[in-house]
Amino acid sequence: SQPKNLTTTNFGRGKNNDDSFPVKKSSSPSPCIDVKPTAIPHGETPVWINISLLIDEQLCNKSSIDKEWGWLRGHLQIHSSNSNGNDKFSGGSNSSDNNGATPSTMTVTINDPSSPTHNGRAYTLSTKCNDGNRILMANSWWTNRPIDSNKELTNMLESSNEPPGDLVDLTHLHEPAIVHALQFRYERDEIYTNTGSILLALNPFKQLDGLYTQGMMELYWGETGEKSVGNERDDAEGGKPPHVYDVAARAFGSMMRALEESRDGVSGSCNQSILVSGESGAGKTVTTKIIMRYLAILSQRMVMARSSTAEFDFNCEGSGVERQVLQSNPVLESFGNARTIRNDNSSRFGKFIEMSFEAKRTGRGTLLGASIYFYLLEKVRLVSVNPGERNYHIFYEVLSPSGMELEDRKRYMLTSSFGRGSTPSSVRDFRMTSMSGTFDRRDGVDDSDTYRELRMAMDICFSFDEQDGIFSVVSALLHASNLRFVSDERQSSGSEGCAIYNLDGTSGAVASLLGVTLEALETSLTASAIEARGERLIKKLSIAKAEKALEALTKATYGALFTYIVMRINKSIEVRRDSISRGIDEVKSIATIGVLDIFGFESFEKNSFEQLCINYCNEALQQQFNRFVFKSEQAEYEREGITWSQIDFPDNQEALDLIEDRREGVFSILDEQCRLPRCTDKTFSSAVYDKCENNMNFAASRMQKSEGRFVIIHYAGEVEYDTNGFVLKNKDELPKGASELLASSKKSLVAELSKILCGNAVLQAGTLIGEARAQMKRSSSSITHSTVCSQ
């Protein structure tokens, strides 16, 4: 990258943009002059002007704004008075004329076709309006307009018809320059743009031919499969265009170079990480898959370079570890992704994928395996889905018309008469898939196609019996969503006890698919056991409490199932000890490239506990971003003795402290409340108001306090949170009867889920990297015990 150019983030204050000029509302509106853009004399300065300035100066009103974005392109010309008192023009790049006259007014001519209301109009303003914030210097690449009087000046101003592929090459780096450059490239299907060592990717929401072909991939290959040393960035210099392949290639190349320089095996500098972040729907999941595939293919090339018999498999369809690693993606997407308001394939969990490569010279760069770690699976989606959204894909895939075979449907009781009939059940037959009234995907993806891809992927990682157990649990949860409770007529008068409604056969289907007795199922959902002084008392539950128990069982079972699936995938793609070159320590024989695919920042009409956890993750990643881009780069300037100006950047430590402080953070307050015997959402919100009201990133009006809501000012903006359900979601408790129910199952997989719920399963068993990473925790966090927050 070109770190010195990062100082351009302070642009917007040139010689004619003096900080001493404050924004001041004019006492009398200046006249608006209609001119043609082509009639502008040469010598003017290309600028961006914020519409708010025209509104404040009473030159236009809010109703005339015809674009949501607040910036207009134009040209600036300064007027000054000569010794004769006559006005004359001076170039926008000077703050005074040759006679030392002080500029008094300036004309901004709008030259922006995207704003028909303002395009071609000129506005006369006082130079005091030029405060360096709302009139910003523009870059020259879009100023290639005809200038009649000076051919040499024309050639100087004219440049490429396109913005650079690296934003640090922009002369002026500020909001309108960045957004306009990205938009210009996006409209030409150039979705990738560099900014130093960071790649910006804009979701095209369509297939782009030629962007991910073997030919494109080969552009980033060196002679040994990694990118050559250097910082070539922009295609304007004859280099390679910005691409996600470039990011993956640089990570692989850095790892390989560090291994070459290391004599004693793997050092800390050998391991690499790629962070994929962005808002919901930005394309993080697809980008992660592209990176994994590129790294897998690089591994193949390394094998080919050492073997004359190895054949290149661009699609990774062979039987090697590369295919096993890539085939984990369809499985995780089916069980962990769902349609949301903004994204039809939104990951409802965060994941860190660590790909392990051979470090020893004889096999250096060969992919050995991978490990997957997941965070914060959104289990509340199983029992509550907002309108316009869907539950997890897997439920729609097993019910898709052309997906599961009829015999399998009958096996899992997904036909009429609970498997006895031949009419397939549909997504409208189950509450879990119909509660939101949304049944399909808007991106054109057919659930039947993804089901077939899922089964092909599962054939690699799971045995037939394991697949049978997984689909039995999925089908059981579908039927469980239709369970109903009625008052128990066997109870005495005045009792609130209830029973499962058994006449429709739903409860029998759930019990059969889970491998438990009908009596055990009913006891676990309609009664609670209380142990006191060595005695066990059974208390019947009300209908409302039984429904809550069913929700808890559903969420816990699916959460354990997802954990089991990740555990089995890890087992199939783990680094096996017999695949490591002998002769050196095992840990030093492995180098890793980690890819973090975390949730995007979320702000909905109603935000709950899940959004706070997700936004907290993004807040922590933003701090890491700041440290990497600004703090580390500036420290490097100082070490190299480079003359530069200190860059002020927003530090979000206050927002992080508000959430994670050991004593007065929102999470710590929540954990403390959950340990109290009679905690409620109301007591939690009251404690938050008392302890956090003085934090500059916290706000709560009287009305918000009365409704249990508060606002946190994140780096990405303000988000209002509703505390309803915070305490219950943080406890994430499973009734003891439910875990006992699963433990009593005759099906081995269901019984295994019970062990996972009780914490007796080793999730990363057998993985070399997993054993070392299992003890890692966020050291500065106050959340160390087993709650949802602690993830």
Side-chain angles (χ1 to χ4, degrees):
S1 64
Q2 302 173 26
K4 292 191 290 292
N5 286 342
L6 284 176
T7 56
T8 57
T9 51
N10 234 5
F11 266 76
R13 293 173 173 83
K15 292 183 179 180
N16 63 325
N17 290 337
D18 195 325
D19 286 336
S20 62
F21 288 147
V23 177
K24 184 177 180 181
K25 192 171 182 179
S26 175
S27 57
S28 58
S30 302
C32 175
I33 306 169
D34 283 310
V35 297
K36 296 181 180 180
T38 55
I40 305 171
H42 74 84
E44 294 188 349
T45 301
V47 295
W48 288 95
I49 181 170
N50 196 290
I51 295 179
S52 64
L53 177 60
L54 303 180
I55 295 175
D56 290 348
E57 293 297 311
Q58 300 180 6
L59 298 176
C60 68
N61 51 51
K62 293 183 179 180
S63 61
S64 67
I65 298 177
D66 54 7
K67 57 190 300 185
E68 295 182 5
W69 188 43
W71 292 93
L72 298 168
R73 287 186 291 165
H75 295 84
L76 174 70
Q77 192 166 44
I78 303 293
H79 302 273
S80 61
S81 298
N82 58 23
S83 57
N84 298 325
N86 298 322
D87 287 344
K88 70 174 185 178
F89 286 109
S90 65
S93 59
N94 299 310
S95 58
S96 61
D97 64 6
N98 295 332
N99 296 325
T102 302
S104 57
T105 60
M106 57 186 177
T107 299
V108 176
T109 304
I110 307 302
N111 184 15
D112 192 339
S114 65
S115 177
T117 301
H118 299 281
N119 189 38
R121 298 174 67 85
Y123 300 92
T124 301
L125 302 167
S126 169
T127 53
K128 294 182 178 180
C129 296
N130 192 11
D131 64 344
N133 293 321
R134 293 191 289 182
I135 298 180
L136 303 177
M137 299 286 288
N139 293 279
S140 60
W141 62 266
W142 57 268
T143 62
N144 53 335
R145 57 184 179 82
I147 301 178
D148 300 326
S149 58
N150 192 323
K151 185 176 181 179
E152 182 178 357
L153 180 62
T154 301
N155 293 334
M156 182 182 69
L157 288 177
E158 288 182 345
S159 59
S160 171
N161 290 330
E162 297 186 4
D166 194 332
L167 294 180
V168 299
D169 291 333
L170 290 172
T171 307
H172 307 290
L173 192 60
H174 43 61
E175 178 191 342
I178 292 173
V179 174
H180 185 59
L182 293 175
Q183 181 183 6
F184 190 98
R185 294 176 59 83
Y186 183 78
E187 291 173 349
R188 288 154 181 78
D189 290 338
E190 296 175 339
I191 64 171
Y192 293 119
T193 304
N194 286 317
T195 173
S197 60
I198 300 162
L199 178 72
L200 303 180
L202 305 182
N203 192 341
F205 293 101
K206 62 180 180 181
Q207 294 292 332
L208 296 179
D209 296 333
L211 193 57
Y212 305 107
T213 61
Q214 182 175 343
M216 177 64 73
M217 188 176 290
E218 290 175 352
L219 289 177
Y220 304 90
W221 288 347
E223 293 182 358
T224 59
E226 73 272 13
K227 189 178 185 294
S228 57
V229 180
N231 290 321
E232 297 86 3
R233 284 272 174 224
D234 191 20
D235 46 277
E237 299 179 0
K240 304 170 181 65
H243 202 289
V244 68
Y245 289 162
D246 185 30
V247 176
R250 282 188 282 122
F252 189 85
S254 297
M255 178 189 72
M256 295 294 290
R257 288 191 294 272
L259 289 173
E260 289 286 346
E261 297 168 0
S262 176
R263 296 182 179 179
D264 300 322
V266 176
S267 63
S269 61
C270 296
N271 298 328
Q272 305 292 314
S273 290
I274 300 173
L275 170 61
V276 184
S277 65
E279 63 179 336
S280 179
K284 298 181 296 299
T285 299
V286 173
T287 298
T288 300
K289 291 193 293 185
I290 294 172
I291 291 173
M292 292 176 61
R293 184 168 178 268
Y294 184 88
L295 294 174
I297 291 177
L298 278 185
S299 169
Q300 281 194 21
R301 283 182 54 81
M302 301 304 293
V303 174
M304 289 179 59
R306 291 185 292 268
S307 173
S308 59
T309 60
E311 296 183 1
F312 180 63
D313 181 11
F314 178 71
N315 295 317
C316 293
E317 295 178 348
S319 57
V321 66
E322 292 87 359
R323 185 192 182 198
Q324 291 179 315
V325 171
L326 296 181
Q327 286 300 313
S328 65
N329 288 314
V331 181
L332 293 176
E333 284 190 25
S334 289
F335 287 89
N337 288 24
R339 167 180 167 172
T340 63
I341 293 294
R342 303 185 62 181
N343 184 5
D344 277 28
N345 190 33
S346 176
S347 297
R348 306 317 300 162
F349 68 103
K351 63 178 177 289
F352 180 69
I353 303 170
E354 203 161 44
M355 303 179 70
S356 301
F357 298 86
E358 172 67 80
K360 195 177 180 181
R361 182 178 298 275
T362 55
R364 184 167 294 161
T366 303
L367 182 63
L368 300 175
S371 297
I372 300 172
Y373 308 84
F374 74 93
Y375 315 89
L376 290 174
L377 178 68
E378 188 185 44
K379 292 181 288 188
V380 70
R381 178 169 295 273
L382 296 158
V383 297
S384 177
V385 182
N386 295 324
E389 299 188 351
R390 297 202 318 178
N391 219 309
Y392 287 104
H393 291 329
I394 183 61
F395 298 112
Y396 303 86
E397 290 171 353
V398 299
L399 295 171
S400 57
S402 302
M404 187 177 287
E405 298 291 339
L406 181 60
E407 290 303 315
D408 288 337
R409 288 177 178 271
K410 291 183 176 182
R411 179 183 182 86
Y412 302 121
M413 303 184 182
L414 297 178
T415 62
S416 55
S417 302
F418 298 100
R420 294 186 296 274
S422 299
T423 303
S425 301
S426 72
V427 292
R428 299 178 184 273
D429 295 330
F430 301 95
R431 181 180 180 276
M432 180 172 284
T433 51
S434 63
M435 66 177 82
S436 67
T438 302
F439 305 101
D440 56 3
R441 292 173 59 165
R442 297 160 296 186
D443 55 5
V445 176
D446 193 315
D447 291 316
S448 299
D449 295 335
T450 55
Y451 174 78
R452 286 188 286 270
E453 293 176 8
L454 168 67
R455 294 308 295 261
M456 290 176 61
M458 294 186 74
D459 286 341
I460 297 175
C461 303
F462 300 87
S463 67
F464 174 81
D465 290 339
E466 289 170 337
Q467 293 186 49
D468 179 59
I470 289 172
F471 286 106
S472 291
V473 173
V474 169
S475 302
L477 294 178
L478 280 169
H479 286 293
S481 68
N482 288 349
L483 285 176
R484 292 185 294 163
F485 299 93
V486 295
S487 298
D488 191 350
E489 299 178 353
R490 296 169 295 181
Q491 298 295 312
S492 59
S493 178
S495 175
E496 60 176 10
C498 68
I500 296 177
Y501 180 74
N502 293 319
L503 298 182
D504 60 358
T506 301
S507 58
V510 175
S512 176
L513 290 167
L514 289 179
V516 299
T517 64
L518 185 58
E519 181 182 1
L521 175 65
E522 181 158 0
T523 301
S524 66
L525 295 178
T526 62
S528 64
I530 303 175
E531 295 185 4
R533 297 181 180 180
E535 295 184 4
R536 184 180 176 93
L537 305 177
I538 303 298
K539 179 183 178 182
K540 296 294 289 185
L541 300 178
S542 64
I543 293 178
K545 291 182 178 180
E547 290 173 346
K548 290 295 183 183
L550 175 59
E551 291 182 358
L553 174 64
T554 301
K555 292 187 293 184
T557 303
Y558 192 82
L561 178 65
F562 190 81
T563 301
Y564 173 82
I565 289 172
V566 174
M567 179 180 68
R568 287 297 300 120
I569 291 176
N570 279 339
K571 190 67 176 177
S572 67
I573 64 176
E574 68 182 358
V575 178
R576 305 185 189 281
R577 287 174 169 83
D578 57 3
S579 66
I580 302 172
S581 300
R582 298 179 180 180
I584 58 176
D585 182 72
E586 288 179 342
V587 175
K588 290 186 177 182
S589 65
I590 298 173
T592 63
I593 297 179
V595 184
L596 178 64
D597 175 15
I598 204 71
F599 332 82
F601 188 87
E602 293 187 349
S603 180
F604 302 127
E605 184 175 345
K606 182 178 179 180
N607 301 285
S608 189
F609 178 73
E610 295 79 18
Q611 280 67 50
L612 179 59
C613 292
I614 289 172
N615 293 342
Y616 165 61
C617 292
N618 281 270
E619 199 76 58
L621 291 177
Q622 178 66 18
Q623 186 183 68
Q624 175 68 19
F625 178 87
N626 287 344
R627 287 176 176 173
F628 174 77
V629 176
F630 294 104
K631 294 181 181 179
S632 61
E633 294 291 350
Q634 293 181 112
E636 184 176 344
Y637 304 160
E638 293 177 350
R639 288 193 300 269
E640 297 179 0
I642 299 174
T643 302
W644 57 286
S645 300
Q646 183 74 28
I647 303 172
D648 293 327
F649 58 90
D651 189 353
N652 64 336
Q653 186 59 51
E654 286 286 341
L656 281 171
D657 290 341
L658 172 61
I659 300 173
E660 69 171 12
D661 186 79
R662 291 175 180 271
R663 296 183 178 180
E664 297 184 351
V666 174
F667 280 162
S668 297
I669 296 171
L670 181 57
D671 287 343
E672 181 182 357
Q673 287 290 312
C674 289
R675 287 191 290 266
L676 299 178
R678 295 184 179 180
C679 64
T680 63
D681 293 327
K682 186 175 181 179
T683 61
F684 160 66
S685 60
S686 297
V688 170
Y689 300 144
D690 291 340
K691 295 184 178 182
C692 301
E693 60 181 358
N694 294 327
N695 190 294
M696 60 182 299
N697 289 79
F698 181 86
S701 64
R702 289 185 177 180
M703 178 172 292
Q704 287 173 327
K705 289 181 179 180
S706 66
E707 298 175 348
R709 294 178 286 125
F710 62 85
V711 173
I712 292 181
I713 304 173
H714 293 280
Y715 76 94
E718 298 182 2
V719 179
E720 182 188 70
Y721 297 98
D722 189 336
T723 60
N724 183 34
F726 263 55
V727 171
L728 183 62
K729 292 174 182 178
N730 187 49
K731 287 183 175 180
D732 197 28
E733 293 178 333
L734 174 69
K736 188 176 181 179
S739 60
E740 292 176 349
L741 171 70
L742 299 182
S744 67
S745 174
K746 296 179 180 179
K747 296 190 175 185
S748 58
L749 186 141
V750 177
E752 182 68 21
L753 299 186
S754 175
K755 295 178 182 179
I756 292 176
L757 289 174
C758 296
N760 295 330
V762 181
L763 304 185
Q764 307 292 349
T767 59
L768 297 177
I769 305 301
E771 292 169 4
R773 183 173 293 277
Q775 303 300 322
M776 294 180 62
K777 294 181 180 179
R778 181 173 168 82
S779 59
S780 61
S781 176
S782 62
I783 305 152
T784 57
H785 59 280
S786 180
T787 64
V788 176
C789 288
S790 66
Q791 298 190 60

